[in-house]
């Protein structure tokens, strides 16, 4: 795990730990990690004594998370075996006082504070990975199947496992009569996945409970979004306060790209300054190349009307790309050493000879003085645009915050809920997307 990811997982799991403090949320033991990736956050939440459903749409990510889970289980098994072997017959009676050997306490704990939390909650965590195409409907159905399929061990909180270790069952708990409370979490859910998690939460929150039907209730949510450029057009604006304005507030794709910028961190150290300089150079060079790509696209389309048909418009939706840009794709950092190197690598990758389109090329392609002027102007323009990035991100976050409040306010019979924006991460660690949208019952502890 990178230092950045370690920081994010640590801060988010600690925050969830504080939210679920004893006396307020004793009945909530089930968490759904949406877009779980390699499962770092999922395992941290499991170590808090929670039952975790980790969902991801990428089978490779899920397989990787399962391998980490298996390694952790083997490590725990060895750890427990060593602990048993080290115990002499004379002190075996002390096992009843050791939390490690209590049947309702998880054996894998990363810190004393988390160990204390497990003991207070008196529950053992579990972890289930699933690969699904995530949308509001599949998210709700996956949670229902996870909770109510099979032997329903997840529901009762009674389990035959310590972490991932099999142990003897002490008792069989009766099924819950009330809806099972569930928390939804997501750490950097990309693009439309973030509003889709909100939609699933709100849909569940509005649905009336049917007598005699076993169900679950979305009781809390902690979500940090990401990749605003991948949002679909219907994901902004969401709130009535923005949708009913005249003219309607909209964000272009270029604006949504800018929302990911954190100029306040560009010069925090020498490494960041170098990375920022490279990032600006990439944008400028690709902007200068854009007319060339358009010439190439027009030339191929004229020669063959199906030249660009291999890329469906729907495939490029939200990606900010054209078929020509997709064809150029990503280049290594070394390709941006200077303009000559970049131009050579780009043309080589597209497979087009410049002498074949020389009459259609802008003057600056081979005129160093003119190109340097444009490079300077584009660099300044890009920096000025990036300074607007945090403002655009704030607008997106506030729109989502207001939309959730509007939707929850329409359900007068539902439990009173608080909605807030919480700064979870230190952006100096590289965690640019650092604000979580939190929904919780009003009687729970304050968000900050």
């Amino acid at each position: 795990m990178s230092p950045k990811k370690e920081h994010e997982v640590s801060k988010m799991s600690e925050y969830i730990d504080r939210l679920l403090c004893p006396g307020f949320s004793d009945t909530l033991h089930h968490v759904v990690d949406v877009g779980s990736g390699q499962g770092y956050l999922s395992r941290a939440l499991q170590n808090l004594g929670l039952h975790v459903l980790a969902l991801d749409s990428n089978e490779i990510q899920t397989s990787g998370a399962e391998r980490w889970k298996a390694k952790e289980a083997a490590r725990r098994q060895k750890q427990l075996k060593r602990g048993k072997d080290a115990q002499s017959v004379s002190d075996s009676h002390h096992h009843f006082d050791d939390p490690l050997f209590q049947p309702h306490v998880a054996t894998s704990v990363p810190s004393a504070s988390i160990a204390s939390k497990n003991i207070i909650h008196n529950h053992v965590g579990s972890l289930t990975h699933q690969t699904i195409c995530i949308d509001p409907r599949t998210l709700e159905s996956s949670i229902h199947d996870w909770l109510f399929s099979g032997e329903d061990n997840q529901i009762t909180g009674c389990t035959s496992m310590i972490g991932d270790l099999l142990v003897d069952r002490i008792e069989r708990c009766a099924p819950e009569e009330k809806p099972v409370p569930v928390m939804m979490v997501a750490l950097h859910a990309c693009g439309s996945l973030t509003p889709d998690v909100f939609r699933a939460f709100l849909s569940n929150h509005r649905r009336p409970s049917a007598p005699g039907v076993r169900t679950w209730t979305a009781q809390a949510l902690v979500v940090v979004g990401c990749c605003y450029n991948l949002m679909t057009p219907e994901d902004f604006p969401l709130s009535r306060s923005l949708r009913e304005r005249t003219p309607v507030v909209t964000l272009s794709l270029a604006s949504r790209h800018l929302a990911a910028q954190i100029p306040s961190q560009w010069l925090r150290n020498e490494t960041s300054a170098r990375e920022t300089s490279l990032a600006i150079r990439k944008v400028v060079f690709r902007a200068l190349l854009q007319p060339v790509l358009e010439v190439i696209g027009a030339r191929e389309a004229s020669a063959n009307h199906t030249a660009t048909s291999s890329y469906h418009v729907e495939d490029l939706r939200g990606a900010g790309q054209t078929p020509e840009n997709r064809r150029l794709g990503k280049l290594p950092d070394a390709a941006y050493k200077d303009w000559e190197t970049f131009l050579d690598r780009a043309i080589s990758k597209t497979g087009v000879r410049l002498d074949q389109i020389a009459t259609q090329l802008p003057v600056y392609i081979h005129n160093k003085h003119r190109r340097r002027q444009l490079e300077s102007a584009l660099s300044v323009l890009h920096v000025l645009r990036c300074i607007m990035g945090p403002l655009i991100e704030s607008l997106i976050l506030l729109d989502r915050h207001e939309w959730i409040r509007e939707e929850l306010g329409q359900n007068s019979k539902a439990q009173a809920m608080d909605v807030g924006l919480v700064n979870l991460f230190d952006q100096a660690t590289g965690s640019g997307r650092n604000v979580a949208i939190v929904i919780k019952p009003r009687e729970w502890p304050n968000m900050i």
Side-chain angles (χ1 to χ4, degrees), residues 227-229 255-263 389-390 392-393 432-433:
C227 302
Y228 303 115
N229 57 297
S255 297
R256 299 200 299 273
H257 271 288
L258 290 178
Q261 298 293 331
I262 47 172
I392 297 172
E393 181 182 22
R433 313 282 68 76

Side-chain angles (χ1 to χ4, degrees), residues 137-295:
R137 181 187 59 80
T138 59
L139 179 53
E140 287 197 79
S141 62
S142 294
I143 296 172
H144 186 277
D145 293 344
W146 172 59
L147 291 172
F148 302 113
S149 296
E151 296 297 321
D152 297 326
N153 289 341
Q154 297 279 11
I155 293 298
T156 64
C158 291
T159 180
S160 58
M161 304 185 75
I162 296 180
D164 293 305
L165 304 179
L166 292 174
V167 296
D168 293 332
R169 179 178 301 280
I170 292 182
E171 60 178 332
R172 174 67 176 172
C173 295
E176 293 282 354
E177 296 293 337
K178 297 180 180 179
V180 179
V182 173
M183 171 183 280
M184 296 181 182
V185 303
L187 175 53
H188 290 154
C190 289
S192 294
L193 184 56
T194 293
D196 278 350
V197 175
F198 298 147
R199 291 183 178 103
F201 184 97
L202 294 169
S203 172
N204 176 272
H205 205 260
R206 287 192 295 261
R207 185 177 300 114
S209 58
V213 178
R214 303 186 71 188
T215 186
W216 60 279
T217 180
Q219 189 172 28
L221 174 147
V222 180
V223 170
V224 181
C226 194
C227 302
Y228 303 115
N229 57 297
L230 298 180
M231 291 161 40
T232 57
E234 56 267 25
D235 289 334
F236 183 90
L238 293 167
S239 64
R240 288 196 304 275
S241 57
L242 286 185
R243 284 189 285 108
E244 293 176 356
R245 292 180 66 90
T246 304
V248 176
V249 180
T250 60
L251 289 176
S252 66
L253 179 60
S255 297
R256 299 200 299 273
H257 271 288
L258 290 178
Q261 298 293 331
I262 47 172
S264 63
Q265 302 300 320
W266 283 358
L267 304 177
R268 65 180 183 270
N269 54 45
E270 291 184 6
T271 300
S272 297
R274 286 195 300 271
E275 292 174 349
T276 299
S277 178
L278 175 61
I280 294 174
R281 194 183 316 136
K282 288 181 178 181
V283 172
V284 170
F285 281 4
R286 293 184 80 105
L288 291 173
L289 186 70
Q290 192 63 35
V292 179
L293 295 178
E294 291 174 358
V295 169

Side-chain angles (χ1 to χ4, degrees), residues 225-377:
C226 194
C227 302
Y228 303 115
N229 57 297
L230 298 180
M231 291 161 40
T232 57
E234 56 267 25
D235 289 334
F236 183 90
L238 293 167
S239 64
R240 288 196 304 275
S241 57
L242 286 185
R243 284 189 285 108
E244 293 176 356
R245 292 180 66 90
T246 304
V248 176
V249 180
T250 60
L251 289 176
S252 66
L253 179 60
S255 297
R256 299 200 299 273
H257 271 288
L258 290 178
Q261 298 293 331
I262 47 172
S264 63
Q265 302 300 320
W266 283 358
L267 304 177
R268 65 180 183 270
N269 54 45
E270 291 184 6
T271 300
S272 297
R274 286 195 300 271
E275 292 174 349
T276 299
S277 178
L278 175 61
I280 294 174
R281 194 183 316 136
K282 288 181 178 181
V283 172
V284 170
F285 281 4
R286 293 184 80 105
L288 291 173
L289 186 70
Q290 192 63 35
V292 179
L293 295 178
E294 291 174 358
V295 169
I296 293 173
R299 182 185 178 91
E300 291 185 344
S302 176
N304 181 358
H305 292 297
T306 62
T308 59
S309 63
S310 59
Y311 297 107
H312 298 292
V313 173
E314 193 64 28
D315 294 336
L316 302 175
R317 185 184 185 193
Q321 296 190 40
T322 64
E324 294 77 31
N325 286 338
R326 175 70 69 86
R327 179 174 169 182
L328 176 61
K330 184 177 181 180
L331 296 176
D333 291 349
Y336 296 90
K337 176 184 177 181
D338 51 48
W339 170 254
E340 290 73 19
T341 302
F342 170 74
L343 184 62
D344 181 68
R345 293 291 295 271
I347 295 304
S348 175
K349 190 169 183 181
T350 56
V352 176
R353 292 173 51 186
L354 290 183
D355 58 355
Q356 295 177 338
I357 55 175
T359 59
Q360 298 172 277
L361 295 178
V363 174
Y364 64 77
I365 293 297
H366 296 298
N367 185 316
K368 184 176 182 180
H369 176 70
R370 177 57 179 151
R371 188 184 68 254
R372 285 291 178 84
Q373 289 180 321
L374 286 174
E375 285 181 15
S376 178

Side-chain angles (χ1 to χ4, degrees), residues 364-431:
Y364 64 77
I365 293 297
H366 296 298
N367 185 316
K368 184 176 182 180
H369 176 70
R370 177 57 179 151
R371 188 184 68 254
R372 285 291 178 84
Q373 289 180 321
L374 286 174
E375 285 181 15
S376 178
L378 287 171
S379 296
V380 172
L381 176 62
H382 181 60
V383 170
L384 291 174
R385 292 173 68 245
C386 289
I387 291 174
M388 299 293 292
L391 176 62
I392 297 172
E393 181 182 22
S394 297
L395 180 61
I396 294 172
L397 291 171
L398 290 171
D399 174 58
R400 293 173 175 179
H401 175 270
E402 187 62 22
W403 169 58
I404 294 170
R405 289 187 60 192
E406 292 169 354
E407 294 295 315
L408 290 174
Q410 293 179 357
N411 192 352
S412 58
K413 297 182 180 180
Q415 182 182 22
M417 307 290 280
D418 286 331
V419 184
L421 300 173
V422 179
N423 190 335
L424 281 187
F425 311 135
D426 180 1
Q427 287 190 323
T429 65
S431 300

